[in-house]
Amino acid sequence: MGISQLISQTVGFPTVRLRRLRMTEQFRKMVAETQLSVNDLIYPLFVCPGQNVKREVRSMPGVYQQSIDNLIHDCEQIYKLGIPAVILFGIPEHKDEYGSEAYDENGIIQRAVRALKKEIPELVVITDVCLCEYTSHGHCGIVKEVAPGKYEIANDETVELLAKEALSHAEAGADMVAPSDMMDGRVAAIRKILDENGFQNIPIMAYSAKYASGFYGPFREAAESAPKFGDRKSHQMDPANSDEAIREVALDILEGADIVMVKPALAYLDVIYRVKQEFKVPVAAYQVSGEYSMIKAAALNGWIDEQRIMLETLTAIKRAGADLILTYFAKDVARILT
């Protein structure tokens, strides 16, 4: 007989009153099982060319495309709020079918990283490693025509470019790289090229269980990365599958991932839980653009209490097992928690 069964058979109401420890704010804080901390937060940022640029993303109130000068000002505030890390997404000056600005040493991310590490060296700068923002077709890799009118993303050729991109980010001063493409074998290729070039201590945060989700719409506006044709179901995961997520995570860990990520978060709390229970490694979860925008839209219409729902959803993500949360609410949360 388990302890819970034993207790339930021998002790009950009125001796047991679970409300006793809910009666005051102090009691509730003392016995809270899940603690959301500013140290859990990673703030996503979109950096673009130009000077003094700060364009609000129409579908993401409070989120901006920013030039490097404004990015630095924003990150100074972020650091003062105690948020330990940011993750950068780049909007290049020019796009081509190979996404060549993604791995250009003078690309927008590479310049942004150098500027941030010069001005705010203590801030952890993570870089997204993918090609979708940089390709003219908007896909995450090299697109090949395999039959008349039929196209496929070439996995192995794409992995070579992703490894080059990750190395260029490390050379610029990135503290961590985060491959989000979902190509097979890319973590191993990135680990190999980093190690061969003296970056053995740069961690990899792999988007290991990234689903082909409908929640990414606003992000594609922010990053200007919507595919011009087709979709991403050939490489991102089927929302119906969770066993497959365990296989993906296991492979990324074997290939050298230091942190594994589940994306999106709220519709995949069960996957976050399974990953944490199965592997006991640092787990990140991305509260993605659609999750953010739905809360914002409902709050702007007066339908919900934004702050309450924001904290409730982030606590749920943490309770499911996430150690780190990428969220556009990071600054708002930090102001509350600090």
Side-chain angles (χ1 to χ4, degrees):
M1 181 182 295
I3 186 66
S4 61
Q5 291 175 301
L6 181 64
I7 290 173
S8 67
Q9 290 181 19
T10 59
V11 182
F13 180 84
T15 303
V16 175
R17 293 177 182 265
L18 294 181
R19 289 185 57 201
R20 289 190 190 112
L21 295 180
R22 303 175 193 154
M23 297 305 291
T24 69
E25 180 69 15
Q26 291 85 350
F27 282 163
R28 290 192 292 271
K29 287 180 179 178
M30 288 170 64
V31 300
E33 298 173 24
T34 304
Q35 300 286 347
L36 185 65
S37 164
V38 69
N39 292 319
D40 304 329
L41 306 175
I42 299 172
Y43 192 39
L45 293 163
F46 300 94
V47 56
C48 64
Q51 289 286 323
N52 197 30
V53 178
K54 189 172 183 179
R55 291 188 294 265
E56 188 170 35
V57 179
R58 180 188 57 81
S59 58
M60 298 179 70
V63 174
Y64 300 87
Q65 296 177 337
Q66 301 182 83
S67 52
I68 292 173
D69 52 336
N70 280 325
L71 181 78
I72 291 170
H73 294 317
D74 201 8
C75 285
E76 288 172 343
Q77 180 189 30
I78 289 163
Y79 182 69
K80 287 177 182 176
L81 285 168
I83 298 168
V86 297
I87 183 167
L88 302 183
F89 298 90
I91 300 156
E93 293 188 54
H94 305 288
K95 301 188 180 193
D96 59 41
E97 60 181 320
Y98 298 103
S100 57
E101 284 201 27
Y103 40 89
D104 186 328
E105 65 177 17
N106 291 312
I108 186 64
I109 289 296
Q110 291 80 352
R111 287 185 281 124
V113 170
R114 286 193 290 267
L116 284 176
K117 295 310 296 182
K118 179 182 177 182
E119 297 297 329
I120 321 168
E122 299 87 358
L123 182 69
V124 174
V125 177
I126 307 168
T127 55
D128 178 77
V129 177
C130 194
L131 299 181
C132 61
E133 299 110 297
Y134 305 91
T135 54
S136 53
H137 44 68
H139 281 287
C140 300
I142 296 173
V143 175
K144 288 190 172 181
E145 189 171 17
V146 295
K150 184 178 180 181
Y151 299 89
E152 183 179 293
I153 296 176
N155 188 92
D156 296 4
E157 293 93 329
T158 297
V159 166
E160 291 181 20
L161 298 185
L162 294 168
K164 286 178 61 177
E165 181 182 3
L167 177 60
S168 73
H169 292 176
E171 290 174 335
D175 298 295
M176 184 185 300
V177 294
S180 64
D181 54 283
M182 288 296 286
M183 297 297 124
D184 292 333
R186 89 278 202 210
V187 172
I190 290 170
R191 185 72 274 158
K192 182 173 185 290
I193 199 170
L194 291 177
D195 290 355
E196 288 175 347
N197 286 274
F199 295 105
Q200 296 91 341
N201 293 327
I202 298 294
I204 297 173
M205 179 171 66
Y207 289 61
S208 299
K210 180 179 180 180
Y211 285 85
S213 171
F215 284 98
Y216 302 147
F219 174 92
R220 291 174 180 172
E221 178 190 350
E224 300 180 9
S225 61
K228 297 294 189 294
F229 57 87
D231 55 41
R232 294 175 180 160
K233 293 180 181 179
S234 73
H235 49 288
Q236 294 179 358
M237 286 184 54
D238 185 339
N241 297 349
S242 64
D243 288 344
E244 183 184 0
I246 301 302
R247 294 178 64 197
E248 286 279 11
V249 170
L251 287 169
D252 281 359
I253 292 170
L254 288 172
E255 291 180 15
D258 301 281
I259 301 170
V260 295
M261 187 194 301
V262 177
K263 179 184 181 185
L266 284 177
Y268 300 89
L269 294 177
D270 60 318
V271 178
I272 296 170
Y273 179 81
R274 286 193 65 186
V275 169
K276 187 62 179 179
Q277 293 299 308
E278 180 78 21
F279 299 105
K280 308 296 185 186
V281 300
V283 176
Y286 200 146
Q287 186 184 47
V288 298
S289 59
E291 299 171 66
Y292 171 86
S293 295
M294 287 193 300
I295 294 171
K296 279 288 186 181
L300 287 169
N301 277 285
W303 298 336
I304 60 170
D305 180 329
E306 179 179 326
Q307 179 174 307
R308 184 175 179 181
I309 297 299
M310 171 185 72
L311 291 172
E312 186 174 341
T313 55
L314 291 171
T315 300
I317 295 165
K318 179 80 185 231
R319 190 182 66 241
D323 302 287
L324 301 168
I325 304 174
L326 291 77
T327 175
Y328 303 97
F329 285 119
K331 287 196 290 186
D332 297 331
V333 176
R335 291 188 184 102
I336 296 167
L337 297 180
T338 55

